[in-house]
């Protein structure tokens, strides 16, 4: 059985790590290099770095920033933000990122996923999906969510986009459940279970972690491959070593903390 992955997330804005609630009201959470080293040493399996201002401001992640992070890390890390073409992705991977993640640029031009997968292989291409349930009961995707002024709902159904993203070559899906983000009440297990039935590539849960039991619940009930958290880790409410001990006690396979 493959080990379940624990991912720490750094949302960057203007060179600092920030954390919001339901994608709004972001507050400063620290220095990215300091936090990256902390998660490396704490036992995170992967690090995800989102420049949340990049796509709304129509600019890419800075390769120099990625290179600085790469020099600090010996765990895999994924980079997202403003990656709208192959050239931008190539610069970030050359700077040391192991994977790149696309969200709003892929919604604007879905062929981007095909192009990235053709050049770099599906194993390097993650598709992030920011999803919220509408009043009619359907989950739909949102774009440019890094800035409340630019964030907008799209008519595209989340489930349709999950299927299309895989068909185009996505090697992994990160489902950001917007209604649960930053609240600490647990992952959106209902949505993740539905997506899991359609998702044949690794699926990462994002949004809602507030206690070790929330990780166990999403692994056991939704069968996700990994679970991502930010605020609960940043604030020290959940320690990764203790979390992994809790998951092992629940019968879940996780990687050892070095």
């Amino acid at each position: 059985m493959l080990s379940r992955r624990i991912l720490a997330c750094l949302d960057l804005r203007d060179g600092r790590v920030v954390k919001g609630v339901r994608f709004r009201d972001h507050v400063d959470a620290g220095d990215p290099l300091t936090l990256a080293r902390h998660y490396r040493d704490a036992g995170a399996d992967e690090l995800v770095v989102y420049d949340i201002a990049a796509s709304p401001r129509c600019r890419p992640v800075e390769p120099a920033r990625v290179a600085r992070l790469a020099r600090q890390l010996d765990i895999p890390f994924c980079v997202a933000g403003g990656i709208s073409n192959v050239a931008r992705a190539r610069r970030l991977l050359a700077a040391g990122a192991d994977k790149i993640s696309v969200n709003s640029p892929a919604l604007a031009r879905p062929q981007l996923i095909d192009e990235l997968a053709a050049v770099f292989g599906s194993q390097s291409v993650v598709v992030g999906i920011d999803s919220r349930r509408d009043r009619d009961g359907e989950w739909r995707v949102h774009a440019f969510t890094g800035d409340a002024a630019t964030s907008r709902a799209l008519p595209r159904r989340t489930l349709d986009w999950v299927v299309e993203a895989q068909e185009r070559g996505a090697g992994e899906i990160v489902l950001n459940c917007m209604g649960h983000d930053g609240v600490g009440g647990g992952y959106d297990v209902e949505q993740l279970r539905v997506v899991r039935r359609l998702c044949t590539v690794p699926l990462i849960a994002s949004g809602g972690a507030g206690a070790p039991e929330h990780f166990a619940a999403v692994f056991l009930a939704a069968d996700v491959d990994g679970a991502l958290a930010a605020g609960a880790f940043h604030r020290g409410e959940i320690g990764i070593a203790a979390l992994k001990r809790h998951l092992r006690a629940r019968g879940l396979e996780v990687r050892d903390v070095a």
Side-chain angles (χ1 to χ4, degrees):
M1 178 185 294
L2 292 176
S3 295
R4 311 291 180 140
R5 287 180 279 152
I6 303 300
L7 297 85
C9 178
L10 305 182
D11 290 331
L12 301 184
R13 175 180 283 170
D14 300 325
R16 297 287 294 177
V17 178
V18 297
K19 186 67 189 84
V21 176
R22 292 175 174 150
F23 287 56
R24 294 176 180 270
D25 303 321
H26 292 90
V27 298
D28 188 272
D31 172 68
L33 292 179
T34 301
L35 284 168
R37 289 191 293 267
H38 167 72
Y39 291 126
R40 174 199 67 193
D41 297 339
D45 297 310
E46 295 183 26
L47 189 67
V48 179
V49 181
Y50 292 140
D51 186 331
I52 63 172
S55 287
R57 296 177 184 175
C58 299
R59 63 163 177 77
V61 182
E62 296 177 12
R65 180 167 289 147
V66 173
R68 287 193 292 271
L69 283 167
R71 288 193 289 270
Q72 304 295 321
L73 295 173
D74 57 4
I75 60 174
F77 76 106
C78 177
V79 174
I83 303 171
S84 58
N85 56 51
V86 166
R88 288 181 175 183
R90 180 178 284 113
R91 285 193 288 270
L92 298 174
L93 292 167
D98 296 280
K99 295 184 280 190
I100 49 93
S101 179
V102 292
N103 189 334
S104 299
L107 288 167
R109 192 173 67 86
Q111 296 88 343
L112 174 63
I113 303 171
D114 304 73
E115 295 164 4
L116 294 171
V119 174
F120 305 113
S122 292
Q123 78 283 347
S124 297
V125 181
V126 179
V127 171
I129 300 176
D130 297 336
S131 175
R132 187 189 295 272
R133 194 170 212 163
D134 288 337
R135 291 180 180 178
D136 64 359
E138 291 283 2
W139 291 291
R140 291 189 174 87
V141 299
H142 289 237
F144 302 112
T145 56
D147 189 326
T150 60
S151 178
R152 65 173 186 265
L154 300 181
R156 189 190 301 267
R157 292 195 326 143
T158 298
L159 301 182
D160 296 336
W161 183 230
V162 167
V163 171
E164 181 177 351
Q166 292 176 93
E167 291 174 347
R168 290 185 176 277
E172 184 168 284
I173 300 289
V174 176
L175 186 67
N176 305 307
C177 300
M178 298 176 67
H180 288 235
D181 176 73
V183 178
Y187 294 97
D188 188 346
V189 171
E190 180 187 0
Q191 183 175 183
L192 286 157
R193 288 179 69 178
V194 175
V195 169
R196 173 79 282 176
R197 291 197 287 268
L198 299 172
C199 190
T200 59
V201 300
L203 174 63
I204 309 301
S206 174
E213 184 54 35
H214 295 155
F215 290 82
V218 79
F219 285 133
L220 292 168
D223 194 29
V224 297
D225 300 274
L228 178 153
F233 287 160
H234 299 340
R235 295 186 295 270
E237 295 166 1
I238 302 174
I240 293 176
L243 169 61
K244 289 189 171 184
R245 289 194 295 271
H246 175 83
L247 295 174
R248 277 203 193 91
R250 295 295 306 274
L252 291 157
E253 184 69 28
V254 291
R255 297 186 180 99
D256 290 331
V257 176

